[in-house]
Amino acid sequence: MQSRKRNWQERLANLEPKPKRRRRSSEEVADRILEAAAEEFEASGYAGATTAAIARRADVTEAQIFRFHESKQALFRAAIFTPLNRHFADFQARTAGGGALEGKDVARAYIGELLDFMASHSKMFLSLVVANAYSPDATKGIDALDGLQDYFRKGEAMSQARVGESPRIAPELMVRVSFAAVLANLMFRDWLFPPGMASDGEIRDAIAAFVIEGIEANGPV
């Protein structure tokens, strides 16, 4: 008897209407698509990511994706470049000025901040590198990264003020080469530094020393 009663109760429970899922606003759908796209591009790279996989992550249809973004390239730029711009702007705000530090100590602290920033967003940078290698139209250079451009402009201005009108190496080249050195050492770290060769601190110190010595080609820091 008890068994029959329990079965009947279970049937009644199954017949009860399930609560409808709340309808998401257009803004919520757009935000979720960007979040899912960033996750998919970081996980699979530009070439491996598909709009179908992004749609599954976002719990939307591919048609909804294309209502907001005309192509996979446009979606990539929105999903990757937008947060990178935001992170660069935050990085610039946090590292503006040297405080009580002077000279090489400022440079080391700044390079340390840059290393931390790149390490925490390494997948985004890797996605950009791979996308640029396999589909340059998806990235179209760094012009779209306003935050990075601002970083370069500030670095050029600081370098120009330090070395004057006739530098040995143009400031616009110096700041970009320094940035590339930090990025390359981070992205290819597993290839460049076998286990046991050096500690994290030693690698960071070596990168900072290398960059500072390069900067000093235009005169002492």
Side-chain angles (χ1 to χ4, degrees), residues 107-108 110-111 151 155 158-159 162-163 167-169 174-175 177-179 207-221:
R108 288 194 184 92
Y110 197 71
I111 293 167
Y151 165 83
M158 292 171 62
S159 180
R162 182 175 63 85
V163 301
R168 179 182 170 192
I169 300 173
M174 181 60 72
V175 69
V177 170
S178 299
F179 180 88
I207 294 171
F210 175 83
V211 172
I212 290 171
E213 287 183 13
I215 293 171
E216 286 186 325
N218 279 337
V221 173

Side-chain angles (χ1 to χ4, degrees), residues 24 33 51 54-56 58-67:
R24 293 180 292 185
I33 288 173
T51 52
I54 293 168
R56 287 194 295 272
D59 193 20
V60 300
T61 65
E62 285 188 87
Q64 285 177 293
I65 289 179
F66 290 116
R67 287 195 196 111

Side-chain angles (χ1 to χ4, degrees), residues 18-77:
K18 291 183 169 56
K20 292 182 178 180
R21 188 175 66 178
R22 184 179 67 85
R23 184 181 179 86
R24 293 180 292 185
S25 69
S26 178
E27 291 77 12
E28 288 175 319
V29 171
D31 288 345
R32 184 60 200 131
I33 288 173
L34 285 181
E35 290 172 5
E39 293 167 1
E40 187 64 25
F41 283 126
E42 288 191 3
S44 305
Y46 180 77
T50 65
T51 52
I54 293 168
R56 287 194 295 272
R57 279 182 182 267
D59 193 20
V60 300
T61 65
E62 285 188 87
Q64 285 177 293
I65 289 179
F66 290 116
R67 287 195 196 111
F68 292 98
H69 306 281
E70 63 182 13
S71 65
K72 176 182 169 181
Q73 292 179 356
L75 178 57
F76 177 85
R77 293 172 70 83

Side-chain angles (χ1 to χ4, degrees), residues 4 38 47 53 65 75 78 87 96 107 132 138 140 150-151 159:
R4 288 182 181 179
I65 289 179
L75 178 57
H87 293 319
N132 190 64
K140 296 181 181 178
D150 188 48
Y151 165 83
S159 180

